[in-house]
Amino acid sequence: MTPEETAREKSLGGIFVFSAYVLWGFLPLYFVSLAPTTPWEVVGWRIVLSLVFCVALIAVTRGWGRMRVILRDRRLLLWTLVAGLLIYVNWQVFLIGTLTGHVVETSLGYFINPIATVLLGVIVLKERLRPAQWTAVGIAAAAVVVIIVAVGNVPWIALTLAASFATYGLVKKRIGPSVDAVSGLTLESFWLVPIAVIQLVAVGVTSGLTMGHEGTGHTILLLLAGAITAIPLLFFSAGARRTSLTVVGILQFIAPIMQFLTGVLILHEPMPFERWIGFGLVWVAVAVFAVDSLLASRRQRARAVAAVPDPV
């Protein structure tokens, strides 16, 4: 691949990743529009329809060969089960937060997520943190303490979202390139179908299912849950393998910024002064983390260039 082609691939990767995070940033508005559907029903349909969408995509792209290879590997199957359970927790808590007036708190979870990922690397993978990364972790921890003490409640939605998605990322790293995005989401959705069925039945016999009972527009929006789940993931997968981790790391803050602005400016969720202090500390931690990542990436590139021998 020529330098020009490599540059085009990186640019295309950045566009794909940017598109994924923008779509994820709009998710709160989409899910809020599904009212009066409960979080439990939404996640139930999201699982079932994601599976339908992915199976159709595999059929169109003739990806059954890749799926058969994965199905023969018990270790990979086990990891996809674990990934499915983690993403279920993430989806369910995100929907509970979004549909109960806590969009701002969901954004807090995704602001904290990169720092939680780094901390998980230390605990599980025994990785070493740079001083600036430890500083970011400390500031983020202080922000959570401020929110707990000043606001008076534990931001369990934010903490659960950060922990579940960080652990999901760790599992996906363990799986590696052996499982492509479509096959992975297909299997994760497949493992969750029993949970989805139980939730849909439970909702049906209690409050009643809304699918098909709230007008044509509502039904269409609910039927799109599978595609809206899968498309950003596919964009992200296509972009992440083309562009650098630094670009991915910086762009990942687009989604929580959009979610925060949605909660404050559109949905008018309360933001008392104490909560602003907590979020301010989180943003300082994110800034420290982002700047350190950029500087570390530049140092790594400089060392790589220095290591290339001069042509004779």
Side-chain angles (χ1 to χ4, degrees):
M1 187 178 292
T2 65
E4 292 79 9
E5 291 173 335
T6 301
R8 280 198 299 270
E9 279 291 291
K10 286 185 176 180
S11 298
L12 183 61
I15 293 171
F16 277 136
V17 172
F18 176 81
S19 300
Y21 282 124
V22 168
L23 289 174
W24 278 326
F26 277 116
L27 279 183
L29 289 176
Y30 165 71
F31 287 124
V32 166
S33 71
L34 295 179
T37 308
T38 67
W40 306 100
E41 183 182 351
V42 173
V43 171
W45 290 123
R46 191 178 186 186
I47 292 168
V48 173
L49 295 171
S50 293
L51 179 60
V52 171
F53 181 84
C54 288
V55 168
L57 197 58
I58 289 175
V60 170
T61 59
R62 299 179 181 179
W64 297 113
R66 295 192 301 271
M67 182 66 75
R68 282 193 292 270
V69 171
I70 298 169
L71 292 174
R72 295 191 192 104
D73 192 323
R74 291 185 179 181
R75 184 188 68 86
L76 286 179
L77 286 177
L78 179 61
W79 279 122
T80 60
L81 171 60
V82 174
L85 292 173
L86 287 167
I87 204 62
Y88 165 76
V89 171
N90 189 268
W91 286 355
Q92 191 64 73
V93 173
F94 179 79
L95 262 297
I96 291 172
T98 300
L99 296 180
T100 58
H102 295 87
V103 171
V104 169
E105 189 173 332
T106 66
S107 75
L108 177 63
Y110 291 113
F111 276 123
I112 296 174
N113 175 68
I115 298 171
T117 300
V118 168
L119 191 58
L120 198 60
V122 173
I123 296 171
V124 178
L125 304 179
K126 309 302 180 184
E127 295 177 350
R128 288 187 172 185
L129 295 189
R130 296 183 292 272
Q133 290 176 315
W134 276 119
T135 301
V137 169
I139 296 172
V144 173
V145 172
V146 166
I147 291 172
I148 292 173
V149 174
V151 180
N153 58 1
V154 177
W156 70 270
I157 292 175
L159 295 177
T160 304
L161 288 176
S164 60
F165 203 71
T167 310
Y168 177 75
L170 178 65
V171 170
K172 299 295 272 189
K173 184 175 181 179
R174 292 281 192 181
I175 294 173
S178 303
V179 179
D180 61 282
V182 179
S183 299
L185 184 57
T186 303
L187 287 169
E188 290 162 20
S189 301
F190 173 78
W191 295 125
L192 297 178
V193 166
I195 297 176
V197 171
I198 291 172
Q199 290 191 185
L200 291 174
V201 170
V203 172
V205 299
T206 53
S207 59
L209 295 173
T210 61
M211 174 71 85
H213 297 285
E214 294 293 331
T216 303
H218 179 275
T219 300
I220 292 172
L221 284 175
L222 201 49
L223 286 171
L224 289 174
I228 286 173
T229 296
I231 290 172
L233 179 63
L234 298 176
F235 277 162
F236 180 81
S237 177
R241 65 173 181 262
R242 286 179 169 89
T243 193
S244 68
L245 286 177
T246 302
V247 171
V248 174
I250 298 301
L251 291 178
Q252 70 183 313
F253 296 110
I254 292 173
I257 288 171
M258 291 179 63
Q259 291 166 7
F260 176 81
L261 293 175
T262 297
V264 175
L265 300 180
I266 299 177
L267 302 178
H268 306 293
E269 293 185 9
M271 279 294 293
F273 178 71
E274 297 85 353
R275 203 176 195 189
W276 278 111
I277 294 176
F279 267 82
L281 287 172
V282 168
W283 293 331
V284 170
V286 165
V288 171
F289 180 85
V291 171
D292 176 73
S293 297
L294 284 173
L295 294 177
S297 177
R298 288 180 181 177
R299 287 193 296 267
Q300 188 175 5
R301 285 200 301 269
R303 285 195 295 267
V305 171
V308 177
D310 295 328
V312 177

Short mmCIF file of all heavy atoms in Angstrom, two decimals, residues 211-272:
data_model
loop_
_atom_site.label_atom_id
_atom_site.label_comp_id
_atom_site.label_asym_id
_atom_site.label_seq_id
_atom_site.Cartn_x
_atom_site.Cartn_y
_atom_site.Cartn_z
N MET A 211 -45.41 -2.70 21.48
CA MET A 211 -45.16 -2.96 20.06
C MET A 211 -46.49 -3.15 19.33
O MET A 211 -47.29 -4.03 19.65
CB MET A 211 -44.30 -4.21 19.90
CG MET A 211 -44.09 -4.65 18.46
SD MET A 211 -43.02 -3.54 17.49
CE MET A 211 -41.39 -4.18 17.94
N GLY A 212 -46.75 -2.30 18.35
CA GLY A 212 -47.96 -2.39 17.56
C GLY A 212 -49.19 -1.75 18.18
O GLY A 212 -50.28 -1.79 17.58
N HIS A 213 -49.03 -1.14 19.36
CA HIS A 213 -50.19 -0.57 20.05
C HIS A 213 -50.09 0.94 20.27
O HIS A 213 -50.97 1.52 20.91
CB HIS A 213 -50.38 -1.25 21.41
CG HIS A 213 -50.69 -2.72 21.31
ND1 HIS A 213 -51.91 -3.21 20.93
CD2 HIS A 213 -49.90 -3.81 21.52
CE1 HIS A 213 -51.89 -4.53 20.92
NE2 HIS A 213 -50.68 -4.92 21.27
N GLU A 214 -49.01 1.57 19.78
CA GLU A 214 -48.82 3.01 20.02
C GLU A 214 -48.71 3.79 18.71
O GLU A 214 -48.12 4.85 18.68
CB GLU A 214 -47.55 3.23 20.86
CG GLU A 214 -47.61 2.67 22.27
CD GLU A 214 -48.62 3.40 23.14
OE1 GLU A 214 -48.87 4.60 22.89
OE2 GLU A 214 -49.18 2.77 24.05
N GLY A 215 -49.28 3.25 17.67
CA GLY A 215 -49.25 3.94 16.39
C GLY A 215 -48.17 3.41 15.46
O GLY A 215 -47.20 2.77 15.89
N THR A 216 -48.34 3.70 14.17
CA THR A 216 -47.41 3.20 13.15
C THR A 216 -46.00 3.75 13.35
O THR A 216 -45.01 3.03 13.23
CB THR A 216 -47.92 3.57 11.75
OG1 THR A 216 -49.23 3.05 11.57
CG2 THR A 216 -46.99 3.00 10.68
N GLY A 217 -45.90 5.06 13.64
CA GLY A 217 -44.60 5.68 13.81
C GLY A 217 -43.82 5.05 14.94
O GLY A 217 -42.62 4.76 14.81
N HIS A 218 -44.50 4.82 16.06
CA HIS A 218 -43.84 4.20 17.21
C HIS A 218 -43.38 2.79 16.87
O HIS A 218 -42.26 2.39 17.22
CB HIS A 218 -44.80 4.18 18.40
CG HIS A 218 -44.23 3.55 19.63
ND1 HIS A 218 -44.27 2.18 19.84
CD2 HIS A 218 -43.59 4.08 20.71
CE1 HIS A 218 -43.69 1.91 21.00
NE2 HIS A 218 -43.27 3.04 21.54
N THR A 219 -44.20 2.03 16.18
CA THR A 219 -43.84 0.66 15.81
C THR A 219 -42.62 0.64 14.91
O THR A 219 -41.71 -0.18 15.09
CB THR A 219 -45.03 -0.02 15.11
OG1 THR A 219 -46.15 -0.05 16.00
CG2 THR A 219 -44.67 -1.45 14.70
N ILE A 220 -42.58 1.55 13.94
CA ILE A 220 -41.43 1.61 13.02
C ILE A 220 -40.15 1.94 13.80
O ILE A 220 -39.10 1.32 13.59
CB ILE A 220 -41.68 2.65 11.91
CG1 ILE A 220 -42.79 2.17 10.98
CG2 ILE A 220 -40.39 2.90 11.12
CD1 ILE A 220 -43.24 3.20 9.97
N LEU A 221 -40.24 2.92 14.70
CA LEU A 221 -39.07 3.28 15.50
C LEU A 221 -38.59 2.11 16.34
O LEU A 221 -37.37 1.85 16.44
CB LEU A 221 -39.41 4.47 16.42
CG LEU A 221 -39.48 5.84 15.76
CD1 LEU A 221 -39.95 6.88 16.78
CD2 LEU A 221 -38.13 6.24 15.17
N LEU A 222 -39.51 1.36 16.92
CA LEU A 222 -39.15 0.22 17.75
C LEU A 222 -38.53 -0.89 16.91
O LEU A 222 -37.58 -1.55 17.34
CB LEU A 222 -40.37 -0.29 18.51
CG LEU A 222 -40.14 -1.12 19.78
CD1 LEU A 222 -39.13 -0.45 20.72
CD2 LEU A 222 -41.45 -1.35 20.51
N LEU A 223 -39.05 -1.08 15.70
CA LEU A 223 -38.50 -2.10 14.81
C LEU A 223 -37.09 -1.75 14.34
O LEU A 223 -36.33 -2.64 13.93
CB LEU A 223 -39.42 -2.28 13.59
CG LEU A 223 -40.74 -3.02 13.84
CD1 LEU A 223 -41.63 -2.94 12.61
CD2 LEU A 223 -40.47 -4.48 14.22
N LEU A 224 -36.75 -0.47 14.37
CA LEU A 224 -35.41 -0.04 13.95
C LEU A 224 -34.35 -0.26 15.03
O LEU A 224 -33.17 0.00 14.80
CB LEU A 224 -35.43 1.44 13.57
CG LEU A 224 -36.16 1.80 12.28
CD1 LEU A 224 -36.24 3.31 12.12
CD2 LEU A 224 -35.45 1.18 11.08
N ALA A 225 -34.77 -0.75 16.21
CA ALA A 225 -33.83 -0.90 17.33
C ALA A 225 -32.65 -1.79 16.97
O ALA A 225 -31.51 -1.54 17.39
CB ALA A 225 -34.56 -1.46 18.55
N GLY A 226 -32.89 -2.85 16.19
CA GLY A 226 -31.80 -3.74 15.82
C GLY A 226 -30.77 -3.06 14.94
O GLY A 226 -29.56 -3.14 15.19
N ALA A 227 -31.24 -2.36 13.91
CA ALA A 227 -30.31 -1.67 13.00
C ALA A 227 -29.58 -0.56 13.71
O ALA A 227 -28.37 -0.37 13.52
CB ALA A 227 -31.09 -1.11 11.81
N ILE A 228 -30.30 0.18 14.57
CA ILE A 228 -29.67 1.29 15.29
C ILE A 228 -28.63 0.79 16.28
O ILE A 228 -27.67 1.49 16.62
CB ILE A 228 -30.76 2.14 15.97
CG1 ILE A 228 -31.50 2.94 14.91
CG2 ILE A 228 -30.20 3.06 17.04
CD1 ILE A 228 -32.70 3.69 15.39
N THR A 229 -28.79 -0.45 16.75
CA THR A 229 -27.78 -1.05 17.62
C THR A 229 -26.56 -1.48 16.81
O THR A 229 -25.41 -1.27 17.23
CB THR A 229 -28.37 -2.27 18.35
OG1 THR A 229 -29.41 -1.83 19.22
CG2 THR A 229 -27.30 -2.99 19.17
N ALA A 230 -26.79 -2.10 15.66
CA ALA A 230 -25.70 -2.73 14.92
C ALA A 230 -24.89 -1.76 14.06
O ALA A 230 -23.66 -1.89 13.97
CB ALA A 230 -26.26 -3.84 14.03
N ILE A 231 -25.55 -0.80 13.42
CA ILE A 231 -24.85 0.06 12.45
C ILE A 231 -23.68 0.84 13.07
O ILE A 231 -22.58 0.84 12.51
CB ILE A 231 -25.85 1.00 11.75
CG1 ILE A 231 -26.74 0.18 10.81
CG2 ILE A 231 -25.13 2.10 10.97
CD1 ILE A 231 -27.89 0.95 10.20
N PRO A 232 -23.86 1.52 14.23
CA PRO A 232 -22.69 2.21 14.81
C PRO A 232 -21.55 1.26 15.15
O PRO A 232 -20.38 1.61 14.98
CB PRO A 232 -23.26 2.87 16.09
CG PRO A 232 -24.73 2.92 15.88
CD PRO A 232 -25.07 1.74 15.03
N LEU A 233 -21.89 0.05 15.61
CA LEU A 233 -20.86 -0.92 15.94
C LEU A 233 -20.07 -1.32 14.69
O LEU A 233 -18.84 -1.45 14.73
CB LEU A 233 -21.48 -2.16 16.58
CG LEU A 233 -20.51 -3.27 16.96
CD1 LEU A 233 -19.53 -2.78 18.03
CD2 LEU A 233 -21.25 -4.50 17.46
N LEU A 234 -20.76 -1.48 13.57
CA LEU A 234 -20.09 -1.84 12.32
C LEU A 234 -19.22 -0.69 11.83
O LEU A 234 -18.11 -0.90 11.33
CB LEU A 234 -21.12 -2.23 11.26
CG LEU A 234 -21.97 -3.46 11.60
CD1 LEU A 234 -23.02 -3.69 10.52
CD2 LEU A 234 -21.10 -4.68 11.79
N PHE A 235 -19.71 0.55 11.95
CA PHE A 235 -18.89 1.72 11.61
C PHE A 235 -17.63 1.75 12.46
O PHE A 235 -16.52 1.99 11.96
CB PHE A 235 -19.68 3.01 11.82
CG PHE A 235 -20.59 3.38 10.69
CD1 PHE A 235 -21.62 4.28 10.87
CD2 PHE A 235 -20.41 2.86 9.44
CE1 PHE A 235 -22.47 4.64 9.84
CE2 PHE A 235 -21.23 3.20 8.38
CZ PHE A 235 -22.27 4.09 8.58
N PHE A 236 -17.82 1.52 13.76
CA PHE A 236 -16.68 1.56 14.68
C PHE A 236 -15.66 0.49 14.32
O PHE A 236 -14.46 0.74 14.29
CB PHE A 236 -17.16 1.36 16.12
CG PHE A 236 -16.04 1.38 17.13
CD1 PHE A 236 -15.52 2.58 17.58
CD2 PHE A 236 -15.50 0.20 17.61
CE1 PHE A 236 -14.48 2.61 18.49
CE2 PHE A 236 -14.46 0.21 18.52
CZ PHE A 236 -13.96 1.42 18.96
N SER A 237 -16.14 -0.72 14.03
CA SER A 237 -15.23 -1.82 13.69
C SER A 237 -14.46 -1.51 12.40
O SER A 237 -13.25 -1.74 12.32
CB SER A 237 -16.03 -3.11 13.52
OG SER A 237 -15.19 -4.17 13.13
N ALA A 238 -15.17 -0.95 11.41
CA ALA A 238 -14.51 -0.62 10.14
C ALA A 238 -13.48 0.50 10.32
O ALA A 238 -12.43 0.50 9.67
CB ALA A 238 -15.56 -0.20 9.12
N GLY A 239 -13.78 1.43 11.21
CA GLY A 239 -12.85 2.55 11.41
C GLY A 239 -11.69 2.22 12.30
O GLY A 239 -10.56 2.65 12.05
N ALA A 240 -11.93 1.45 13.36
CA ALA A 240 -10.88 1.17 14.34
C ALA A 240 -9.71 0.43 13.74
O ALA A 240 -8.56 0.60 14.18
CB ALA A 240 -11.46 0.37 15.51
N ARG A 241 -9.96 -0.41 12.73
CA ARG A 241 -8.85 -1.16 12.14
C ARG A 241 -8.11 -0.36 11.06
O ARG A 241 -7.12 -0.82 10.52
CB ARG A 241 -9.34 -2.49 11.58
CG ARG A 241 -10.29 -2.43 10.42
CD ARG A 241 -10.55 -3.84 9.89
NE ARG A 241 -11.44 -3.83 8.75
CZ ARG A 241 -12.74 -4.07 8.81
NH1 ARG A 241 -13.31 -4.34 9.97
NH2 ARG A 241 -13.49 -4.05 7.71
N ARG A 242 -8.64 0.83 10.73
CA ARG A 242 -7.99 1.65 9.71
C ARG A 242 -7.21 2.82 10.31
O ARG A 242 -6.21 3.24 9.74
CB ARG A 242 -9.04 2.22 8.75
CG ARG A 242 -9.61 1.21 7.76
CD ARG A 242 -10.64 1.88 6.87
NE ARG A 242 -11.03 1.02 5.75
CZ ARG A 242 -12.03 0.14 5.80
NH1 ARG A 242 -12.71 0.01 6.93
NH2 ARG A 242 -12.32 -0.59 4.75
N THR A 243 -7.69 3.36 11.43
CA THR A 243 -7.05 4.54 12.01
C THR A 243 -6.32 4.19 13.29
O THR A 243 -6.36 3.04 13.74
CB THR A 243 -8.10 5.64 12.26
OG1 THR A 243 -7.46 6.87 12.54
CG2 THR A 243 -9.02 5.28 13.42
N SER A 244 -5.66 5.16 13.88
CA SER A 244 -4.85 4.90 15.08
C SER A 244 -5.70 4.88 16.33
O SER A 244 -6.79 5.46 16.38
CB SER A 244 -3.77 5.98 15.21
OG SER A 244 -4.36 7.24 15.51
N LEU A 245 -5.17 4.22 17.37
CA LEU A 245 -5.86 4.17 18.65
C LEU A 245 -5.98 5.56 19.27
O LEU A 245 -6.92 5.84 20.00
CB LEU A 245 -5.13 3.23 19.61
CG LEU A 245 -5.28 1.73 19.34
CD1 LEU A 245 -4.44 0.93 20.31
CD2 LEU A 245 -6.74 1.30 19.42
N THR A 246 -5.03 6.43 18.98
CA THR A 246 -5.09 7.80 19.50
C THR A 246 -6.32 8.53 18.97
O THR A 246 -7.04 9.19 19.71
CB THR A 246 -3.82 8.58 19.11
OG1 THR A 246 -2.68 7.89 19.62
CG2 THR A 246 -3.85 9.99 19.68
N VAL A 247 -6.56 8.38 17.66
CA VAL A 247 -7.74 9.01 17.05
C VAL A 247 -9.01 8.44 17.67
O VAL A 247 -9.93 9.18 18.02
CB VAL A 247 -7.73 8.79 15.52
CG1 VAL A 247 -9.05 9.25 14.91
CG2 VAL A 247 -6.58 9.55 14.89
N VAL A 248 -9.05 7.12 17.81
CA VAL A 248 -10.21 6.48 18.43
C VAL A 248 -10.41 6.99 19.86
O VAL A 248 -11.53 7.28 20.28
CB VAL A 248 -10.05 4.94 18.43
CG1 VAL A 248 -11.19 4.28 19.21
CG2 VAL A 248 -10.01 4.41 17.01
N GLY A 249 -9.31 7.10 20.59
CA GLY A 249 -9.38 7.54 21.98
C GLY A 249 -9.89 8.96 22.13
O GLY A 249 -10.68 9.26 23.04
N ILE A 250 -9.48 9.84 21.24
CA ILE A 250 -9.93 11.24 21.31
C ILE A 250 -11.38 11.36 20.87
O ILE A 250 -12.20 12.05 21.50
CB ILE A 250 -9.03 12.15 20.45
CG1 ILE A 250 -7.59 12.12 20.98
CG2 ILE A 250 -9.56 13.58 20.46
CD1 ILE A 250 -7.44 12.55 22.41
N LEU A 251 -11.75 10.66 19.79
CA LEU A 251 -13.10 10.77 19.27
C LEU A 251 -14.15 10.15 20.19
O LEU A 251 -15.34 10.51 20.10
CB LEU A 251 -13.19 10.10 17.88
CG LEU A 251 -12.46 10.80 16.74
CD1 LEU A 251 -12.60 10.00 15.45
CD2 LEU A 251 -13.00 12.21 16.53
N GLN A 252 -13.74 9.24 21.08
CA GLN A 252 -14.72 8.56 21.92
C GLN A 252 -15.46 9.51 22.87
O GLN A 252 -16.51 9.16 23.40
CB GLN A 252 -14.06 7.46 22.73
CG GLN A 252 -13.13 7.94 23.83
CD GLN A 252 -12.46 6.78 24.55
OE1 GLN A 252 -13.11 5.83 24.92
NE2 GLN A 252 -11.16 6.87 24.72
N PHE A 253 -14.94 10.72 23.05
CA PHE A 253 -15.62 11.67 23.93
C PHE A 253 -16.76 12.41 23.24
O PHE A 253 -17.50 13.16 23.88
CB PHE A 253 -14.61 12.67 24.51
CG PHE A 253 -13.58 12.01 25.39
CD1 PHE A 253 -12.26 11.91 25.00
CD2 PHE A 253 -13.95 11.47 26.61
CE1 PHE A 253 -11.31 11.29 25.80
CE2 PHE A 253 -13.01 10.84 27.43
CZ PHE A 253 -11.70 10.76 27.02
N ILE A 254 -16.91 12.20 21.92
CA ILE A 254 -18.01 12.84 21.20
C ILE A 254 -19.36 12.38 21.76
O ILE A 254 -20.26 13.20 22.01
CB ILE A 254 -17.92 12.52 19.69
CG1 ILE A 254 -16.70 13.21 19.07
CG2 ILE A 254 -19.21 12.95 18.97
CD1 ILE A 254 -16.46 12.81 17.63
N ALA A 255 -19.51 11.07 21.95
CA ALA A 255 -20.80 10.53 22.40
C ALA A 255 -21.22 11.07 23.77
O ALA A 255 -22.35 11.57 23.91
CB ALA A 255 -20.77 9.00 22.39
N PRO A 256 -20.37 10.99 24.81
CA PRO A 256 -20.82 11.52 26.10
C PRO A 256 -21.05 13.02 26.10
O PRO A 256 -21.93 13.51 26.82
CB PRO A 256 -19.70 11.13 27.07
CG PRO A 256 -18.52 10.83 26.22
CD PRO A 256 -19.07 10.31 24.93
N ILE A 257 -20.29 13.77 25.28
CA ILE A 257 -20.53 15.21 25.18
C ILE A 257 -21.93 15.47 24.62
O ILE A 257 -22.70 16.28 25.14
CB ILE A 257 -19.46 15.90 24.30
CG1 ILE A 257 -18.12 15.94 25.04
CG2 ILE A 257 -19.90 17.32 23.92
CD1 ILE A 257 -16.97 16.41 24.18
N MET A 258 -22.28 14.72 23.55
CA MET A 258 -23.60 14.88 22.95
C MET A 258 -24.70 14.44 23.93
O MET A 258 -25.75 15.08 24.02
CB MET A 258 -23.69 14.06 21.67
CG MET A 258 -22.83 14.60 20.53
SD MET A 258 -22.93 13.57 19.04
CE MET A 258 -24.67 13.73 18.63
N GLN A 259 -24.45 13.36 24.67
CA GLN A 259 -25.44 12.90 25.64
C GLN A 259 -25.63 13.92 26.76
O GLN A 259 -26.76 14.18 27.20
CB GLN A 259 -25.01 11.55 26.20
CG GLN A 259 -25.08 10.42 25.18
CD GLN A 259 -24.35 9.17 25.64
OE1 GLN A 259 -23.89 9.08 26.77
NE2 GLN A 259 -24.23 8.20 24.75
N PHE A 260 -24.53 14.50 27.22
CA PHE A 260 -24.60 15.52 28.27
C PHE A 260 -25.41 16.72 27.80
O PHE A 260 -26.31 17.21 28.50
CB PHE A 260 -23.20 15.95 28.69
CG PHE A 260 -23.17 17.07 29.70
CD1 PHE A 260 -23.35 16.80 31.04
CD2 PHE A 260 -22.97 18.38 29.30
CE1 PHE A 260 -23.35 17.82 31.98
CE2 PHE A 260 -22.97 19.42 30.22
CZ PHE A 260 -23.15 19.13 31.57
N LEU A 261 -25.11 17.20 26.60
CA LEU A 261 -25.82 18.36 26.05
C LEU A 261 -27.30 18.04 25.84
O LEU A 261 -28.16 18.89 26.05
CB LEU A 261 -25.18 18.81 24.74
CG LEU A 261 -23.75 19.38 24.86
CD1 LEU A 261 -23.18 19.69 23.48
CD2 LEU A 261 -23.74 20.63 25.73
N THR A 262 -27.59 16.80 25.42
CA THR A 262 -28.98 16.38 25.25
C THR A 262 -29.73 16.44 26.58
O THR A 262 -30.84 16.97 26.67
CB THR A 262 -29.04 14.95 24.69
OG1 THR A 262 -28.46 14.92 23.39
CG2 THR A 262 -30.48 14.46 24.61
N GLY A 263 -29.08 15.90 27.63
CA GLY A 263 -29.73 15.89 28.94
C GLY A 263 -29.96 17.28 29.50
O GLY A 263 -31.03 17.57 30.06
N VAL A 264 -28.98 18.18 29.34
CA VAL A 264 -29.07 19.51 29.94
C VAL A 264 -29.91 20.47 29.09
O VAL A 264 -30.79 21.16 29.60
CB VAL A 264 -27.66 20.10 30.17
CG1 VAL A 264 -27.74 21.53 30.67
CG2 VAL A 264 -26.90 19.25 31.18
N LEU A 265 -29.62 20.52 27.78
CA LEU A 265 -30.22 21.55 26.93
C LEU A 265 -31.56 21.14 26.32
O LEU A 265 -32.42 22.01 26.10
CB LEU A 265 -29.25 21.92 25.80
CG LEU A 265 -27.88 22.47 26.23
CD1 LEU A 265 -27.03 22.78 25.02
CD2 LEU A 265 -28.05 23.70 27.12
N ILE A 266 -31.74 19.85 26.04
CA ILE A 266 -32.97 19.41 25.38
C ILE A 266 -33.97 18.82 26.37
O ILE A 266 -35.15 19.16 26.36
CB ILE A 266 -32.65 18.39 24.26
CG1 ILE A 266 -31.74 19.04 23.20
CG2 ILE A 266 -33.94 17.86 23.62
CD1 ILE A 266 -31.31 18.09 22.10
N LEU A 267 -33.48 17.95 27.26
CA LEU A 267 -34.37 17.30 28.21
C LEU A 267 -34.47 18.06 29.53
O LEU A 267 -35.26 17.69 30.40
CB LEU A 267 -33.90 15.86 28.46
CG LEU A 267 -33.82 14.98 27.19
CD1 LEU A 267 -33.29 13.59 27.54
CD2 LEU A 267 -35.18 14.88 26.52
N HIS A 268 -33.63 19.10 29.70
CA HIS A 268 -33.70 19.99 30.86
C HIS A 268 -33.59 19.24 32.20
O HIS A 268 -34.34 19.50 33.14
CB HIS A 268 -34.99 20.82 30.83
CG HIS A 268 -35.18 21.58 29.56
ND1 HIS A 268 -34.35 22.63 29.19
CD2 HIS A 268 -36.08 21.42 28.56
CE1 HIS A 268 -34.75 23.10 28.02
NE2 HIS A 268 -35.79 22.38 27.61
N GLU A 269 -32.63 18.31 32.27
CA GLU A 269 -32.39 17.61 33.53
C GLU A 269 -31.69 18.55 34.51
O GLU A 269 -30.91 19.42 34.10
CB GLU A 269 -31.55 16.35 33.30
CG GLU A 269 -32.29 15.28 32.49
CD GLU A 269 -31.48 14.00 32.37
OE1 GLU A 269 -30.43 13.87 33.04
OE2 GLU A 269 -31.89 13.12 31.59
N PRO A 270 -31.95 18.41 35.80
CA PRO A 270 -31.36 19.33 36.80
C PRO A 270 -29.85 19.19 36.88
O PRO A 270 -29.31 18.09 36.85
CB PRO A 270 -32.03 18.90 38.11
CG PRO A 270 -32.45 17.49 37.88
CD PRO A 270 -32.81 17.39 36.44
N MET A 271 -29.17 20.34 37.00
CA MET A 271 -27.72 20.38 37.18
C MET A 271 -27.39 21.35 38.31
O MET A 271 -26.97 22.49 38.07
CB MET A 271 -27.03 20.80 35.88
CG MET A 271 -26.86 19.70 34.87
SD MET A 271 -25.73 18.37 35.40
CE MET A 271 -24.16 19.23 35.46
N PRO A 272 -27.56 20.94 39.56
CA PRO A 272 -27.21 21.83 40.68
C PRO A 272 -25.70 22.12 40.67
O PRO A 272 -24.91 21.40 40.04
CB PRO A 272 -27.63 21.02 41.91
CG PRO A 272 -27.66 19.60 41.46
CD PRO A 272 -28.06 19.63 40.03
#
